[in-house]
């Protein structure tokens, strides 16, 4: 019988250079601690500016288990509000998205502007002489965006978003360059795929290049996707750890070897003539060709934004064994012909019925049940330790199938959890 | 509305078609199930509402005929991990109605519950399902099947069987 654990040993006893303790995925006390030290402290990806394009647009998002309203004010600024009335705690918004200057709490009719300020309350004489100005909706104290990607931190102080992203910011630049206008849009709506598994199993799998050949062999065998070879033993692709927990599988060496524009998307420029023309016009033929050969990144921004070449996953940790993968197709501004195919391909591969993600998710859930067994206690993450090295920028890299990313995530995780 | 004998027979035929389709799904008769589709078929599970534009918005499934074939071949590969072991399944179909009829094409609707048992546990799925049926080669076939899950706007567990 598994014993419900309520205390956490020293982090250094649970996280070693090449292994981590299984209880880190299953102990509810660890999850509670993660909420305080990670989800409610560090920068967490919340949403994209293109989801609230106009003044007063809002969309319901989350930070870990907490609901967060991402609202664009009359002034154009994007704010993150907590969905909790300062009167008696009722939820002020139950819509998934909309356009609203104000939110009115249905319980006693207090009304809030979309910057959180209380603007009206019923039967005002009952509050005569009281200062009501401090009774606002909770605001996520720090909000910052990078190229349209909006992050929030529930800590009033800490490293800036630029510090947090560090070297990984360049992967977002690379992503945006795939658009002839240099911008990504999130407009196709999300699928919400729930797994009975710890969020770290999901996060680590995103840049695990060891599994695709096995977990996805069924789809590789019936549809020629070309993905399979990228993750074989002979692959020249790299795994990379950027620090701060951000990790990548850099497929560019493989795509450059192939040297075919749009080869990363399994197609050719002839089949996307409008897109190719726009790219050439925006970047010049030489640079456009480079961009179209390199393709989009495969990067996991710690702790919850996975940019997976053609789609994004936003990981939401709800409980120690309850995680939601919010997933949608990436859309590139000024590229309608490409975007249509991105939506089609995304729908086929991800979400609850996806050709790829249904099998990944099966692994998450089996792994969660697996670590309930008491022995051998540890998860072994030593693959490729002997051949990892620093790249020209000083980031740790290894073979496409090596566990450089997991080791990088856990190193950062430990530093966050050990912080006071 | 006055129901005559002909309508009764047609409703019976439609019901029998839907029951048979459900049984083929429940019993993993993937190839026989695939044979029920027309060449221009669409198999659609919308997300976030029953009536979104699947050409613009994400759906859980939006398969054309060739993708239905891929789905079936993946299940037949023996390596579709999420269906190895297979979910144990039973569809329950009720409220079958013929919604409209234009020349040969029949639009039919029903309510469906599916009980699924797999390694995770038991899951109950509920949906409004609509068919576009067409006689072809002496038998009735599906040109379109839309399964609008009641909770398609909520987080959903993996749904890797045929619904
Ligand atoms: S709880 Fe919101 S107005 Fe009373
Ligand atoms: Fe995978």
């Amino acid at each position: 019988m598994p014993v419900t654990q309520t205390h956490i040993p020293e982090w250094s006893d649970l996280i070693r250079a090449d292994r981590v303790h299984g209880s880190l995925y299953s102990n509810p006390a660890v999850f509670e601690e993660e909420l305080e030290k990670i989800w409610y402290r560090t920068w967490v990806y919340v949403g994209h500016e293109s989801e609230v394009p106009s003044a007063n647009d809002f969309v319901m998002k989350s930070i870990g288990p907490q609901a967060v309203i991402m609202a664009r004010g009359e002034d154009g600024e994007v704010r993150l509000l907590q969905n909790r009335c300062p009167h008696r705690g009722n939820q002020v918004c139950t819509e998934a998205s909309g356009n609203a200057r104000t939110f009115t709490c249905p319980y006693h009719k207090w009304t809030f502007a979309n910057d959180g300020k209380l603007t009206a309350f019923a039967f005002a004489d009952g509050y005569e002489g009281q200062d009501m100005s401090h009774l606002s909706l909770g605001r996520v104290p720090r909000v910052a965006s990078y190229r349209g990607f909006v992050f929030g931190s529930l800590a009033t102080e800490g490293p800036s978003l630029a510090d947090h992203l560090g070297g990984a910011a360049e992967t977002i630049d690379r992503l945006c360059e795939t658009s002839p206008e240099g911008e990504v849009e999130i407009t196709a709506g999300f699928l919400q795929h729930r797994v009975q598994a710890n969020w770290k199993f999901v996060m680590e799998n995103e840049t695990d290049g060891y599994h695709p050949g096995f977990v996805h062999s069924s789809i590789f065998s019936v549809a020629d996707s070309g993905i399979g070879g990228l993750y074989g033993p002979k692959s020249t692709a790299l795994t990379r750890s950027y620090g701060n927990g951000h990790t990548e599988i850099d497929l560019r060496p493989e795509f450059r070897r192939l040297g075919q524009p749009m080869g990363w998307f399994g197609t050719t420029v002839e089949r996307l003539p409008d897109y190719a023309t726009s790219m050439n016009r925006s970047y010049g033929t030489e640079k456009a060709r480079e961009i179209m050969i390199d393709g989009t990144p495969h990067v996991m921004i710690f702790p919850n934004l996975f940019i997976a070449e053609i789609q994004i996953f936003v990981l939401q940790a709800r409980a120690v064994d309850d995680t939601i993968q919010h997933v949608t197709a990436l859309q590139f501004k000024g590229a309608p012909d490409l975007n249509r195919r991105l939506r089609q391909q995304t729908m086929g591969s991800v979400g609850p019925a996806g050709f790829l993600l249904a099998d990944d998710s099966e692994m998450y859930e089996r792994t969660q049940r697996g670590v309930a067994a008491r022995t051998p206690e540890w998860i072994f993450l030593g693959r490729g330790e002997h051949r990892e090295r620093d790249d020209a920028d000083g980031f740790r890299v290894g073979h496409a199938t090596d566990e450089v990313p997991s080791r990088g995530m856990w190193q950062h995780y430990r530093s966050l959890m050990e912080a006071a | 509305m006055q129901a005559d004998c002909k309508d009764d027979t047609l409703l019976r035929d439609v019901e029998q078609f839907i029951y048979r389709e459900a049984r083929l799904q429940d019993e993993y008769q993937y190839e026989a199930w695939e044979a029920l589709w027309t060449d221009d078929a669409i198999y659609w599970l919308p997300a976030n509402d029953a009536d979104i534009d699947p050409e613009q918005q994400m759906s859980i499934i939006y398969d054309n005929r060739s993708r239905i074939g891929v789905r079936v071949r993946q299940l037949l590969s023996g390596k579709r991990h999420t269906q190895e072991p297979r979910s144990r399944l039973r569809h329950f179909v009720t409220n079958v109605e013929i919604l409209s009829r234009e020349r040969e094409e029949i639009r039919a609707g029903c309510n469906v519950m599916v009980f699924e048992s797999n390694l995770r546990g038991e899951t109950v799925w509920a949906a409004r399902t609509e068919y576009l049926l067409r006689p072809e080669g002496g038998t009735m076939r599906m040109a379109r099947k839309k399964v609008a899950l009641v909770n398609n706007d909520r987080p959903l567990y993996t749904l890797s069987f045929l619904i």
Side-chain angles (χ1 to χ4, degrees):
Chain A
M1 278 290 286
V3 182
T4 305
Q5 290 157 297
T6 50
H7 98 287
I8 308 162
E10 288 293 312
W11 297 106
S12 55
D13 290 339
L14 299 173
I15 305 164
R16 310 259 170 86
D18 65 351
R19 65 198 63 204
V20 297
H21 198 265
S23 64
L24 292 164
Y25 300 91
S26 59
N27 181 350
V30 168
F31 182 76
E32 291 304 315
E33 193 79 0
E34 287 170 350
L35 290 180
E36 297 308 321
K37 301 265 179 79
I38 297 175
W39 293 94
Y40 302 158
R41 180 177 289 184
T42 191
W43 290 101
V44 173
Y45 176 71
V46 178
H48 195 270
E49 286 174 8
S50 60
E51 295 178 77
V52 286
S54 310
N56 304 317
D57 282 350
F58 72 87
V59 58
M60 194 62 80
K61 293 288 178 182
S62 60
I63 293 182
Q66 310 239 331
V68 165
I69 307 167
M70 181 167 88
R72 190 183 287 277
E74 195 77 48
D75 56 0
E77 194 178 323
V78 175
R79 298 182 180 84
L80 303 177
L81 306 171
Q82 296 228 262
N83 193 14
R84 171 180 170 158
C85 180
H87 178 218
R88 291 216 227 165
N90 199 30
Q91 295 181 313
V92 298
C93 180
T94 53
E95 300 288 317
S97 64
N99 184 278
R101 242 173 259 272
T102 58
F103 298 99
T104 298
C105 177
Y107 201 174
H108 311 93
K109 282 270 180 256
W110 287 23
T111 296
F112 306 88
N114 59 15
D115 64 359
K117 284 199 197 74
L118 179 65
T119 58
F121 38 93
F123 312 155
D125 58 334
Y127 295 108
E128 211 177 291
Q130 299 190 48
D131 177 17
M132 303 293 279
S133 65
H134 64 284
L135 293 165
S136 324
L137 295 177
R139 287 236 308 243
V140 174
R142 293 191 305 151
V143 181
S145 70
Y146 187 74
R147 303 204 62 165
F149 290 84
V150 180
F151 296 76
S153 161
L154 281 161
T156 48
E157 280 167 47
S160 68
L161 178 62
D163 288 343
H164 169 71
L165 292 176
E170 188 258 340
T171 63
I172 298 178
D173 295 337
R174 253 193 268 152
L175 177 74
C176 294
E177 272 193 335
T178 303
S179 153
E181 298 179 29
E183 277 181 57
V184 163
E185 293 183 309
I186 300 299
T187 50
F190 282 85
L191 301 182
Q192 302 179 63
H193 188 177
R194 183 180 185 191
V195 287
Q196 206 172 81
N198 187 265
W199 65 277
K200 299 188 294 299
F201 280 132
V202 183
M203 174 177 71
E204 290 183 84
N205 184 67
E206 312 298 24
T207 44
D208 172 50
Y210 196 16
H211 80 276
F214 318 112
V215 171
H216 305 305
S217 61
S218 65
I219 194 65
F220 296 161
S221 70
V222 300
D224 48 358
S225 68
I227 302 177
L230 301 172
Y231 300 104
K234 299 229 164 56
S235 175
T236 57
L238 298 169
T239 44
R240 178 176 291 116
S241 170
Y242 281 103
N244 289 347
H246 312 312
T247 61
E248 158 178 52
I249 299 182
D250 185 353
L251 299 166
R252 287 174 298 177
E254 282 289 303
F255 296 139
R256 285 175 186 171
R257 212 162 52 84
L258 189 68
Q260 180 194 312
M262 301 313 290
W264 66 274
F265 190 49
T267 188
T268 60
V269 286
E270 285 72 38
R271 307 194 67 166
L272 289 165
D274 296 350
Y275 174 65
T277 305
S278 308
M279 288 297 282
N280 288 336
R281 201 182 313 123
S282 298
Y283 297 101
T285 48
E286 198 175 322
K287 174 75 178 160
R289 186 182 151 80
E290 268 173 40
I291 295 170
M292 289 190 286
I293 285 175
D294 280 354
T296 50
H298 181 118
V299 61
M300 178 67 228
I301 306 288
F302 186 93
N304 73 327
L305 172 62
F306 175 36
I307 300 170
E309 289 110 318
I310 66 165
Q311 63 252 158
I312 60 164
F313 292 76
V314 185
L315 309 187
Q316 182 191 2
R318 296 208 302 192
V320 69
D321 62 351
D322 187 5
T323 304
I324 313 294
Q325 309 164 81
H326 300 261
V327 59
T328 188
L330 281 160
Q331 301 281 274
F332 296 99
K333 208 168 178 184
D337 52 342
L338 177 62
N339 288 342
R340 196 187 65 82
R341 294 189 52 178
L342 291 167
R343 292 192 298 272
Q344 294 297 333
Q345 197 155 319
T346 295
M347 275 190 266
S349 32
V350 307
F355 293 141
L356 294 171
L357 265 291
D359 288 318
D360 290 303
S361 297
E362 185 66 27
M363 295 303 124
Y364 304 149
E365 295 186 340
R366 292 189 196 180
T367 315
Q368 189 70 28
R369 294 192 293 273
V371 293
R374 294 183 63 93
T375 55
E377 284 192 58
W378 295 88
I379 305 269
F380 181 61
L381 299 172
R383 183 176 168 83
E385 267 196 312
H386 64 290
R387 55 184 177 183
E388 66 176 46
R389 58 197 186 275
D390 285 347
D391 69 8
D393 299 309
F395 301 125
R396 211 71 179 144
V397 293
H399 183 263
T401 64
D402 286 350
E403 284 161 344
V404 170
S406 269
R407 292 193 287 274
M409 288 172 190
W410 281 107
Q411 192 182 11
H412 182 60
Y413 176 96
R414 182 174 156 183
S415 73
L416 292 176
M417 299 306 279
E418 283 178 337
Chain B
M1 202 170 73
Q2 196 72 28
D4 61 27
C5 273
K6 209 165 138 253
D7 287 343
D8 264 4
T9 316
L10 187 64
L11 181 61
R12 288 276 300 163
D13 287 351
V14 167
E15 280 175 349
Q16 289 303 309
F17 178 90
I18 294 173
Y19 295 159
R20 174 156 176 266
E21 194 236 347
R23 177 166 45 80
L24 295 177
Q25 292 177 315
D26 288 343
E27 296 178 1
Y28 327 113
Q29 305 285 311
Y30 301 130
E31 282 161 313
W33 180 79
E34 190 185 355
L36 297 178
W37 293 98
T38 62
D39 288 343
D40 60 346
I42 298 280
Y43 176 34
W44 182 31
L45 267 75
N48 298 311
D49 201 350
D51 289 300
I52 56 164
D53 176 358
E55 293 294 333
Q56 298 300 327
Q57 296 290 303
M58 294 284 294
S59 291
I60 301 163
I61 294 178
Y62 187 51
D63 285 359
N64 59 14
R65 181 63 187 80
S66 94
R67 199 170 269 181
I68 291 169
V70 171
R71 196 170 291 282
V72 164
R73 288 201 300 284
Q74 186 181 29
L75 287 166
L76 288 169
S77 72
K79 293 178 283 189
R80 176 62 159 165
H81 299 285
T82 161
Q83 282 299 312
E84 301 289 340
R86 290 162 172 166
S87 296
R88 288 162 167 256
L89 297 164
R90 280 297 156 190
H91 280 67
F92 300 84
V93 180
T94 70
N95 305 55
V96 180
E97 288 177 286
I98 293 175
L99 302 173
S100 67
R101 209 182 154 186
E102 217 171 298
R103 285 186 295 276
E104 298 274 69
E105 285 196 339
I106 301 156
R107 230 164 45 80
C110 59
N111 295 346
V112 177
M113 261 205 181
V114 182
F115 187 87
E116 178 190 21
S117 169
N118 65 6
L119 292 178
R120 189 196 320 101
E122 290 81 45
T123 311
V124 176
W125 305 87
R128 170 69 181 172
T129 299
E130 290 186 9
Y131 293 86
L132 186 65
L133 302 171
R134 194 190 293 153
E136 214 179 79
T139 158
M140 206 181 279
R141 286 188 205 278
M142 301 187 278
R144 199 174 169 88
K145 181 180 183 187
K146 172 182 168 187
V147 184
L149 294 168
V150 170
N151 54 347
N152 71 7
D153 61 337
R154 312 285 308 166
L156 299 174
Y157 283 128
T158 294
L159 193 169
S160 52
F161 59 90
L162 299 174
I163 190 165

